[in-house]
Amino acid sequence: MKVTEVVAGFAKPIVESLGCELWDVEYVREGSERFLRLYIDKPDGSVDINDCEAISRAVDPVLDEKDPIAESYHFEVCSAGLERSLKRPGDFERFMGSPVTVKLYRPRNGLKEIPGILRGYEDGKVTLEAGKETIEFEKSEVALVRLRVEF
Protein backbone atom coordinates (compact mmCIF):
# COMPACT_ATOMS: atom_id res chain seq x y z
CA MET A 1 0.00 0.00 0.00
CA LYS A 2 1.27 3.49 -0.88
CA VAL A 3 2.28 5.93 1.86
CA THR A 4 -0.46 8.34 0.77
CA GLU A 5 -3.13 5.63 1.12
CA VAL A 6 -1.88 4.60 4.57
CA VAL A 7 -1.83 8.22 5.77
CA ALA A 8 -5.25 8.94 4.26
CA GLY A 9 -6.64 5.92 6.09
CA PHE A 10 -5.81 7.20 9.56
CA ALA A 11 -5.96 10.96 8.82
CA LYS A 12 -9.44 11.03 7.28
CA PRO A 13 -11.40 10.33 10.50
CA ILE A 14 -9.28 12.88 12.38
CA VAL A 15 -9.84 15.54 9.72
CA GLU A 16 -13.60 14.83 9.64
CA SER A 17 -13.83 14.97 13.43
CA LEU A 18 -12.55 18.55 13.17
CA GLY A 19 -15.25 19.60 10.69
CA CYS A 20 -13.27 19.31 7.46
CA GLU A 21 -12.88 16.79 4.67
CA LEU A 22 -9.65 15.27 3.46
CA TRP A 23 -9.30 16.35 -0.17
CA ASP A 24 -5.93 14.76 -0.98
CA VAL A 25 -2.69 13.40 0.47
CA GLU A 26 0.56 14.08 -1.33
CA TYR A 27 4.03 12.72 -0.63
CA VAL A 28 6.59 14.42 -2.88
CA ARG A 29 10.25 15.21 -3.23
CA GLU A 30 11.13 18.86 -3.83
CA GLY A 31 14.86 19.30 -4.32
CA SER A 32 16.58 17.34 -1.58
CA GLU A 33 13.59 17.51 0.78
CA ARG A 34 10.47 15.34 1.10
CA PHE A 35 7.03 16.68 1.98
CA LEU A 36 3.91 14.97 3.24
CA ARG A 37 0.93 17.25 2.63
CA LEU A 38 -2.69 16.89 3.62
CA TYR A 39 -5.08 19.02 1.57
CA ILE A 40 -8.31 19.80 3.37
CA ASP A 41 -11.63 21.38 2.45
CA LYS A 42 -14.98 22.35 3.96
CA PRO A 43 -18.33 22.16 2.17
CA ASP A 44 -18.43 25.97 1.96
CA GLY A 45 -14.72 26.21 1.09
CA SER A 46 -13.95 28.32 4.17
CA VAL A 47 -10.76 26.54 5.29
CA ASP A 48 -8.51 28.88 7.24
CA ILE A 49 -5.16 28.76 9.03
CA ASN A 50 -6.87 27.70 12.28
CA ASP A 51 -8.31 24.60 10.59
CA CYS A 52 -4.89 23.73 9.15
CA GLU A 53 -3.21 24.20 12.53
CA ALA A 54 -5.81 22.14 14.43
CA ILE A 55 -5.55 19.27 11.97
CA SER A 56 -1.76 19.41 11.96
CA ARG A 57 -1.70 19.21 15.78
CA ALA A 58 -4.17 16.29 15.78
CA VAL A 59 -2.54 14.24 12.99
CA ASP A 60 1.12 14.83 13.92
CA PRO A 61 1.20 12.55 17.01
CA VAL A 62 -0.56 9.79 15.06
CA LEU A 63 2.07 10.12 12.31
CA ASP A 64 4.77 9.75 14.97
CA GLU A 65 3.06 6.69 16.43
CA LYS A 66 2.30 4.89 13.15
CA ASP A 67 5.59 6.01 11.53
CA PRO A 68 4.56 5.24 7.90
CA ILE A 69 7.61 6.97 6.36
CA ALA A 70 11.17 5.78 6.98
CA GLU A 71 13.08 8.87 5.83
CA SER A 72 12.82 12.39 7.23
CA TYR A 73 10.15 14.69 5.76
CA HIS A 74 8.23 17.90 6.39
CA PHE A 75 4.55 17.62 7.31
CA GLU A 76 2.14 20.30 6.09
CA VAL A 77 -1.63 20.78 6.16
CA CYS A 78 -3.00 23.06 3.43
CA SER A 79 -6.30 24.22 1.99
CA ALA A 80 -7.26 22.41 -1.21
CA GLY A 81 -7.50 25.91 -2.73
CA LEU A 82 -9.86 27.49 -5.22
CA GLU A 83 -8.01 26.12 -8.25
CA ARG A 84 -7.63 22.59 -6.94
CA SER A 85 -6.94 19.57 -9.11
CA LEU A 86 -9.79 17.15 -9.76
CA LYS A 87 -8.57 13.57 -9.41
CA ARG A 88 -11.30 11.16 -8.31
CA PRO A 89 -14.64 10.50 -10.03
CA GLY A 90 -16.39 12.10 -7.03
CA ASP A 91 -14.39 15.31 -7.58
CA PHE A 92 -15.63 15.50 -11.16
CA GLU A 93 -19.23 14.81 -10.10
CA ARG A 94 -19.09 17.49 -7.41
CA PHE A 95 -17.80 20.16 -9.82
CA MET A 96 -19.78 19.22 -12.96
CA GLY A 97 -20.77 22.46 -14.72
CA SER A 98 -17.85 24.38 -13.20
CA PRO A 99 -15.14 26.27 -15.08
CA VAL A 100 -12.00 24.14 -15.42
CA THR A 101 -8.72 24.07 -17.28
CA VAL A 102 -7.64 20.82 -18.92
CA LYS A 103 -3.87 20.48 -19.19
CA LEU A 104 -2.68 18.11 -21.89
CA TYR A 105 0.49 16.06 -22.28
CA ARG A 106 0.73 17.13 -25.95
CA PRO A 107 -0.70 20.23 -27.62
CA ARG A 108 -4.04 20.02 -29.39
CA ASN A 109 -4.53 22.72 -32.04
CA GLY A 110 -1.41 24.38 -30.63
CA LEU A 111 -2.71 24.50 -27.04
CA LYS A 112 -1.60 22.51 -23.99
CA GLU A 113 -4.14 24.18 -21.68
CA ILE A 114 -7.77 24.42 -22.69
CA PRO A 115 -10.30 26.32 -20.55
CA GLY A 116 -13.99 25.49 -20.56
CA ILE A 117 -16.95 24.19 -18.59
CA LEU A 118 -16.80 20.63 -17.27
CA ARG A 119 -19.67 18.76 -18.95
CA GLY A 120 -18.75 15.11 -18.53
CA TYR A 121 -16.44 12.57 -16.96
CA GLU A 122 -16.47 8.84 -17.54
CA ASP A 123 -13.64 6.36 -16.92
CA GLY A 124 -11.02 9.11 -17.25
CA LYS A 125 -12.53 10.66 -20.38
CA VAL A 126 -13.23 14.38 -19.86
CA THR A 127 -15.84 16.37 -21.80
CA LEU A 128 -15.47 20.14 -21.92
CA GLU A 129 -17.67 22.87 -23.34
CA ALA A 130 -15.30 25.44 -24.80
CA GLY A 131 -17.25 28.33 -26.31
CA LYS A 132 -19.72 26.80 -28.76
CA GLU A 133 -17.90 23.50 -29.19
CA THR A 134 -17.83 20.34 -27.12
CA ILE A 135 -14.42 18.72 -26.80
CA GLU A 136 -13.69 15.21 -25.52
CA PHE A 137 -10.31 14.25 -24.12
CA GLU A 138 -9.19 10.66 -23.71
CA LYS A 139 -7.66 9.74 -20.36
CA SER A 140 -4.25 9.23 -22.05
CA GLU A 141 -4.24 12.88 -23.26
CA VAL A 142 -5.03 14.54 -19.92
CA ALA A 143 -2.20 15.50 -17.60
CA LEU A 144 -4.40 17.44 -15.15
CA VAL A 145 -7.85 18.94 -14.71
CA ARG A 146 -7.98 21.93 -12.41
CA LEU A 147 -10.84 24.18 -11.28
CA ARG A 148 -10.58 27.64 -12.79
CA VAL A 149 -11.59 30.80 -10.95
CA GLU A 150 -13.21 33.45 -13.12
CA PHE A 151 -13.27 37.08 -12.02
Side-chain angles (χ1 to χ4, degrees):
M1 191 178 274
K2 291 169 43 175
V3 166
T4 53
E5 293 169 356
V6 170
V7 172
F10 64 76
K12 185 177 181 185
I14 298 168
V15 171
E16 289 174 351
S17 75
L18 293 168
C20 294
E21 78 178 89
L22 183 61
W23 181 262
D24 199 10
V25 178
E26 176 182 75
Y27 182 58
V28 296
R29 174 185 227 112
E30 294 178 5
S32 63
E33 314 248 7
R34 292 188 181 273
F35 292 85
L36 175 66
R37 292 188 182 108
L38 301 186
Y39 291 94
I40 60 171
D41 195 19
K42 284 184 171 175
D44 64 1
S46 67
V47 171
D48 63 25
I49 190 74
N50 296 321
D51 296 314
C52 295
E53 182 180 352
I55 289 167
S56 178
R57 289 179 190 269
V59 173
D60 196 44
V62 180
L63 274 171
D64 288 345
E65 176 192 321
K66 299 213 182 269
D67 200 20
I69 302 171
E71 58 265 346
S72 66
Y73 61 92
H74 300 279
F75 174 54
E76 298 176 347
V77 177
C78 316
S79 165
L82 293 175
E83 293 195 337
R84 69 192 64 180
S85 298
L86 305 182
K87 297 180 178 180
R88 298 168 298 272
D91 301 345
F92 287 90
E93 285 174 32
R94 179 174 172 182
F95 291 102
M96 197 61 62
S98 298
V100 298
T101 299
V102 175
K103 293 185 179 190
L104 304 172
Y105 289 114
R106 290 181 202 79
R108 184 189 272 197
N109 300 329
L111 299 173
K112 280 190 84 169
E113 293 188 14
I114 301 174
I117 304 299
L118 180 62
R119 291 296 180 211
Y121 179 82
E122 188 174 336
D123 296 327
K125 181 189 272 187
V126 176
T127 304
L128 198 67
E129 180 184 308
K132 292 182 179 172
E133 77 178 301
T134 299
I135 307 170
E136 287 190 348
F137 301 95
E138 294 299 325
K139 183 178 184 176
S140 61
E141 296 178 275
V142 177
L144 179 75
V145 178
R146 180 182 299 277
L147 288 179
R148 183 169 44 88
V149 176
E150 297 178 324
F151 294 99

